[in-house]
Amino acid sequence: DGAYLKVYGGFEAKGTVSKPVLIEGINRKGTLFFNTHQKVIIKNLVFNNLNNTQSGFDQPAAITFYECKTVNISNTLFKSNNSGDDYVNFFRSENILIKDSRFQDILNDAVDSDFSDISISNSEFVDIGNDAIDGSGSNINVENSLFYLVKDKAISAGEKSDVSLNQNTFKNNEIAIVSKDESILRSDNNIFNKNSIDIATFIKKSFYDYPKIIIKNSKVFNYLIEQGSLVEGMDSILYTNDVESKLYGNL
């Protein structure tokens, strides 16, 4: 009930499929902060009803990994946060592995990666209020995952991020994948189904150059590609200007 857990050493929490470890914010209060070079292992957990309000710092997320070296998350459910820009934020962290996990009923962003290296596989992002995965200056790999009912961007690659997407399904999202601000986004064997926009590219911050997107083995039904963007794998592209102003049903 209002606990602020700070971890500066090794951390292991391991439940079982039939009896997961529950970390829950009583009265929808509770914040976690990790800052360690030792290994963090999270397996078969449920995080529920957390927020960012107990932190004495300007912590944007319910769970923050700050300059962590190795984080392994598997078979874990993140659900129902009630405040904060993100549920989970990785800042200048590396060797991050998330697999066989689920994010659901998230208030804003599910995963925010700032200058971090992350691999995500066999996971699900369902009913996300803003972005499912938001990368800034990051290296991100996502494969064999589902993105469903994301109200903003399922994947957002920004600020010179390098993002690879392989064999994922994007269904009924506002925007499936976005490459912006000198980012490189590679999409291979992904399925796009009933998204408002499958692909968008644009410059958001004027001090960056145009982004790049590479499409392979993926059928794109609708897109907004800003003039000047580098695109491979799409024929007869109809470019547009000022893409950001045309999103979210404006065009």
Side-chain angles (χ1 to χ4, degrees), residues 13-235:
K14 298 179 180 179
T16 65
V17 173
S18 60
K19 192 175 182 180
V21 174
L22 174 62
I23 297 181
E24 184 172 42
I26 305 301
N27 296 321
R28 303 180 71 85
K29 296 178 181 179
T31 305
L32 288 83
F33 176 87
F34 295 83
N35 177 206
T36 178
H37 288 183
Q38 298 184 46
K39 184 176 287 187
V40 175
I41 299 176
I42 295 170
K43 183 177 182 180
N44 290 312
L45 265 69
V46 174
F47 292 97
N48 185 41
N49 282 339
L50 301 182
N51 64 39
N52 69 325
T53 58
Q54 273 61 58
S55 173
F57 306 100
D58 186 19
Q59 181 174 324
I63 306 171
T64 297
F65 294 90
Y66 181 82
E67 295 184 342
C68 294
K69 291 297 183 183
T70 303
V71 179
N72 291 336
I73 299 172
S74 61
N75 300 98
T76 292
L77 172 63
F78 299 83
K79 67 174 184 176
S80 303
N81 64 326
N82 71 320
S83 73
D85 292 338
D86 324 309
Y87 206 128
V88 183
N89 177 270
F90 297 96
F91 187 87
R92 289 204 297 260
S93 294
E94 57 190 54
N95 298 317
I96 310 300
L97 176 62
I98 302 173
K99 64 179 183 178
D100 304 314
S101 295
R102 182 179 174 94
F103 294 78
Q104 71 178 47
D105 186 27
I106 309 299
L107 181 66
N108 292 309
D109 292 353
V111 174
D112 195 336
S113 173
D114 295 310
F115 317 106
S116 297
D117 298 334
I118 301 179
S119 292
I120 299 174
S121 63
N122 303 306
S123 296
E124 296 182 348
F125 295 79
V126 178
D127 194 13
I128 309 300
N130 280 348
D131 299 341
I133 300 173
D134 184 7
S136 298
S138 296
N139 298 311
I140 301 174
N141 181 75
V142 185
E143 59 183 24
N144 297 312
S145 295
L146 170 67
F147 298 84
Y148 178 66
L149 294 178
V150 178
K151 295 178 178 62
D152 198 342
K153 302 173 286 292
I155 305 289
S156 178
E159 299 181 15
K160 294 186 177 181
S161 289
D162 191 317
V163 176
S164 294
L165 309 174
N166 301 282
Q167 296 182 319
N168 303 289
T169 298
F170 299 91
K171 183 177 180 180
N172 289 112
N173 306 294
E174 181 63 28
I175 309 170
I177 62 177
V178 171
S179 182
K180 59 183 187 290
D181 297 342
E182 283 187 67
S183 295
I184 299 174
L185 191 150
R186 302 171 181 85
S187 172
D188 192 357
N189 278 301
N190 294 297
I191 296 173
F192 300 99
N193 184 9
K194 297 181 180 179
N195 305 293
S196 296
I197 295 289
D198 292 333
I199 292 174
T201 70
F202 57 92
I203 293 178
K204 184 174 183 178
K205 298 179 179 179
S206 59
F207 45 86
Y208 287 103
D209 207 340
Y210 286 98
K212 182 176 183 178
I213 192 164
I214 302 169
I215 308 296
K216 294 182 179 179
N217 306 312
S218 304
K219 187 174 182 180
V220 177
F221 296 95
N222 46 72
Y223 61 86
L224 283 173
I225 303 295
E226 193 160 86
Q227 185 74 42
S229 300
L230 304 175
V231 181
E232 295 182 9
M234 294 176 63
D235 297 326

Side-chain angles (χ1 to χ4, degrees), residues 202 224 226 240-251:
F202 57 92
L224 283 173
E226 193 160 86
T240 187
N241 294 313
D242 196 15
V243 163
E244 191 173 17
S245 70
K246 297 176 173 66
L247 299 174
Y248 313 110
N250 293 320
L251 178 65

